[in-house]
């Protein structure tokens, strides 16, 4: 039986695939950069492959390694870089917020070991009420001017990150769990600014159960299911732009489902609930009713049946355009787990993509044998 003749486009694609298959993900990224001129000159004959959201995977091992998984290629990339002495906290695109071997925060480009942004030491707090002092490796003393103090460990350090890839402007938010205080810094800051969660904060807006950082806006899902919104873009401090009449966001299922919040490109907050009945996860999205009675304590929410030509990356809490050039599937929810901000254990890690139109799930059984302790979706080449 004769084989059909192969085109130059097929041969070129196969050649690149055979090369990339043998590379670490750092080498893979560098190879793409080196070949960028070749790609641009040959784009008429070789169709450029799209890049979907990738997964960064954290196997439960003593080596503290991380892996990258490209679902479109169904391929896992390892790295020659030593990540054994750092801990990942958050990500924005290919930038990751980490705790380094000196137990300090920094931002790294996961594909380029030469791109690193150092951050102020954790002790550099701009607060007249609180102080943080390093007492030994991985341990800090959280002190109040009243004299009381708490011992904190970097294992309980949590964070959020946003980076503008073009300008490298950034915002970092961090806190020790379960201490009820947030701190943040922006590019150019030499200290961290304090965000109170209880003191001088209205009851409905106190505490938090989930956080989303998008550009210079911090969205805080409070313990009373309201959403507090802070503008972090000012030269000093922050501005509370929540509004004068916040309302709790409860769906008809009330407390019977796990939930997170997400933010649209227009700044609208969505309540994202999921249930996992008989190992079958499903999602429902809700938004506030613009015509609700303002006198009601907790007005009914409107269910959102579709996000149209957009996709929800729940690990980041944001909705992004469904871009076929980078392989983002429309009307989907990219999911790994709830309780992303606080990382409480135990938790239900369930890596999947949920189609809102068909109510169907796509899982990745090839990852089942990795014994993962965590994973998160990210956009590697934006």
């Amino acid at each position: 039986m004769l084989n059909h003749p192969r085109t130059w486009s097929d041969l070129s694609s196969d050649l690149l695939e055979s090369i990339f298959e043998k590379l670490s993900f750092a080498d893979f990224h560098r190879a793409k950069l080196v070949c960028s001129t070749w790609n641009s000159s040959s784009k008429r004959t070789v169709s450029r492959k799209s890049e979907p959201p990738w997964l960064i995977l954290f196997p439960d091992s003593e080596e503290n390694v991380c892996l990258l998984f490209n679902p479109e290629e169904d391929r896992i990339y390892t790295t020659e870089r030593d990540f054994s002495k750092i801990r990942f906290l958050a990500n924005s695109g290919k930038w990751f917020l980490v705790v380094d071997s000196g137990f300090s925060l920094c931002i790294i480009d996961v594909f380029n070991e030469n791109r690193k942004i150092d951050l102020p030491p954790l002790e550099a707090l701009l607060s007249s009420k609180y102080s943080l002092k390093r007492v030994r490796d991985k341990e800090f003393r959280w002190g109040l001017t009243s004299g009381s103090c708490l011992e904190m460990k970097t294992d309980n350090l949590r964070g959020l990150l946003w980076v503008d890839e073009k300008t490298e402007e950034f915002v970092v938010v961090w806190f020790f769990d379960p201490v009820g205080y947030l701190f943040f810094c922006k590019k150019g800051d030499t200290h961290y600014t304090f965000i109170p969660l209880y003191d001088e904060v209205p009851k409905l807006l106190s505490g938090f159960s989930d956080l989303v950082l998008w550009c210079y806006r911090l969205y805080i899902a409070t313990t009373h299911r309201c959403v507090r919104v802070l503008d972090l873009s000012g030269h000093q401090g922050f501005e509370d732009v929540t509004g004068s009449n916040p309302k709790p966001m409860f769906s008809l299922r009330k407390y019977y489902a796990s939930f997170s919040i997400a933010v649209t490109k227009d700044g609208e907050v969505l309540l994202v609930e999921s249930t996992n009945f008989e190992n079958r996860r499903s999602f429902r999205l809700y938004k506030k009713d613009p015509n609700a009675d303002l006198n009601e304590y907790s007005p009914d929410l409107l269910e959102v049946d579709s996000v149209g030509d957009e996709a929800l990356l729940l690990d980041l809490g944001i909705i992004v355009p469904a871009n076929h050039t980078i392989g983002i599937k429309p009307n989907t929810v990219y999911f790994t787990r709830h309780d992303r901000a606080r990382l409480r254990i135990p938790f239900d890690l369930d890596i999947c993509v949920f189609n809102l139109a068909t109510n169907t799930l796509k899982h990745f059984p090839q990852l089942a044998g990795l014994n993962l302790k965590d994973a998160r979706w990210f956009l590697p080449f934006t």
Side-chain angles (χ1 to χ4, degrees):
M1 181 177 180
L2 296 176
N3 293 324
H4 293 288
R6 309 294 300 279
T7 66
W8 168 244
S9 177
D10 291 333
L11 292 174
S12 301
S13 297
D14 289 348
L15 176 62
L16 286 177
E17 290 296 321
S18 65
I19 294 173
F20 289 159
E21 186 173 8
K22 300 175 183 178
L23 300 178
S24 69
F25 72 79
D27 292 331
F28 170 71
H29 185 59
R30 284 195 291 269
K32 289 192 70 175
L33 295 178
V34 170
C35 295
S36 60
T37 303
W38 181 89
N39 280 336
S40 61
S41 63
S42 61
K43 62 184 178 181
R44 293 184 180 179
T45 56
V46 180
S47 59
R48 186 176 182 179
K49 293 195 69 176
S50 61
E51 297 294 352
W54 283 31
L55 280 161
I56 186 165
L57 308 172
F58 303 98
D60 190 4
S61 65
E62 295 181 358
E63 291 79 12
N64 196 30
V65 299
C66 73
L67 307 169
L68 290 189
F69 174 64
N70 183 337
E72 183 174 296
E73 295 178 339
D74 190 19
R75 187 170 302 159
I76 294 174
Y77 293 94
T78 60
T79 173
E80 296 176 354
R81 293 177 64 181
D82 181 11
F83 289 125
S84 62
K85 296 181 180 180
I86 67 174
R87 185 164 65 87
F88 290 82
L89 298 183
N91 69 286
S92 176
K94 60 186 177 182
W95 292 96
F96 280 71
L97 176 65
V98 303
V99 183
D100 65 17
S101 58
F103 310 109
S104 298
L105 291 178
C106 63
I107 304 170
I108 64 170
D109 181 339
V110 75
F111 290 110
N112 188 338
E113 58 188 329
N114 296 318
R115 298 183 75 188
K116 177 184 176 183
I117 302 173
D118 291 316
L119 298 173
L122 292 172
E123 303 94 317
L125 306 183
L126 184 63
S127 173
S128 59
K129 294 184 178 180
Y130 309 101
S131 64
L132 192 66
K133 181 180 296 185
R134 191 184 302 255
V135 293
R136 58 186 66 88
D137 284 351
K138 299 182 70 175
E139 292 190 13
F140 291 81
R141 179 172 291 118
W142 179 265
L144 285 73
T145 54
S146 62
S148 59
C149 63
L150 293 171
E151 298 293 325
M152 307 303 302
K153 295 184 178 181
T154 54
D155 290 343
N156 296 324
L157 188 64
R158 308 288 184 256
L160 300 171
L161 175 67
W162 171 78
V163 178
D164 185 315
E165 178 62 31
K166 294 181 179 179
T167 65
E168 294 191 9
E169 297 285 334
F170 66 83
V171 181
V172 168
V173 177
W174 63 266
F175 62 97
F176 283 104
D177 194 32
V179 173
Y181 312 101
L182 303 178
F183 289 90
F184 78 93
C185 77
K186 306 187 296 294
K187 183 177 181 179
D189 288 348
T190 58
H191 58 265
Y192 298 100
T193 299
F194 169 59
I195 300 175
L197 291 177
Y198 295 97
D199 298 340
E200 301 178 1
V201 176
K203 182 178 180 180
L204 283 177
L205 300 181
S206 63
F208 82 91
S209 57
D210 196 19
L211 299 168
V212 172
L213 179 64
W214 181 237
C215 297
Y216 290 97
R217 291 285 174 103
L218 177 63
Y219 298 82
I220 305 173
T222 73
T223 53
H224 296 275
R225 298 288 286 264
C226 290
V227 178
R228 184 182 177 198
V229 185
L230 304 181
D231 184 349
L232 310 181
S233 64
H235 294 294
Q236 293 184 343
F238 61 88
E239 180 183 2
D240 193 318
V241 293
T242 304
S244 59
N245 192 20
K247 300 291 184 181
M249 295 185 70
F250 290 102
S251 72
L252 295 177
R253 293 188 284 184
K254 300 296 181 182
Y255 293 104
Y256 300 109
S258 300
F259 81 96
S260 300
I261 60 169
V263 181
T264 71
K265 61 183 179 182
D266 298 321
E268 184 177 28
V269 177
L270 302 181
L271 179 69
V272 184
E273 290 189 339
S274 74
T275 56
N276 193 9
F277 181 68
E278 295 183 349
N279 294 321
R280 167 66 179 170
R281 185 174 296 278
S282 63
F283 290 83
R284 289 186 179 180
L285 280 59
Y286 301 90
K287 66 179 181 179
K288 291 184 177 180
D289 184 350
N291 300 316
D293 185 350
L294 298 180
N295 294 320
E296 290 187 35
Y297 170 74
S298 178
D300 290 340
L301 301 177
L302 297 178
E303 186 164 0
V304 178
D305 297 323
S306 170
V307 293
D309 291 329
E310 295 179 313
L312 170 56
L313 302 182
L314 200 55
D315 287 342
L316 299 175
I318 61 173
I319 289 182
V320 297
N323 190 331
H324 292 287
T325 63
I326 58 174
I328 304 178
K329 308 300 182 184
N331 205 22
T332 53
V333 178
Y334 287 78
F335 180 78
T336 58
R337 55 169 291 178
H338 286 292
D339 202 18
R340 170 60 60 196
R342 309 196 78 150
L343 289 178
R344 293 290 176 84
I345 297 175
F347 59 84
D348 184 12
L349 187 64
D350 186 11
I351 302 171
C352 61
V353 180
F354 182 76
N355 188 304
L356 290 166
T358 61
N359 291 322
T360 55
L361 280 168
K362 179 180 179 180
H363 282 103
F364 302 92
Q366 58 272 49
L367 305 179
L370 294 180
N371 190 26
L372 297 175
K373 61 182 178 181
D374 203 3
R376 65 177 70 219
W377 290 100
F378 74 105
L379 298 173
F381 304 121
T382 55

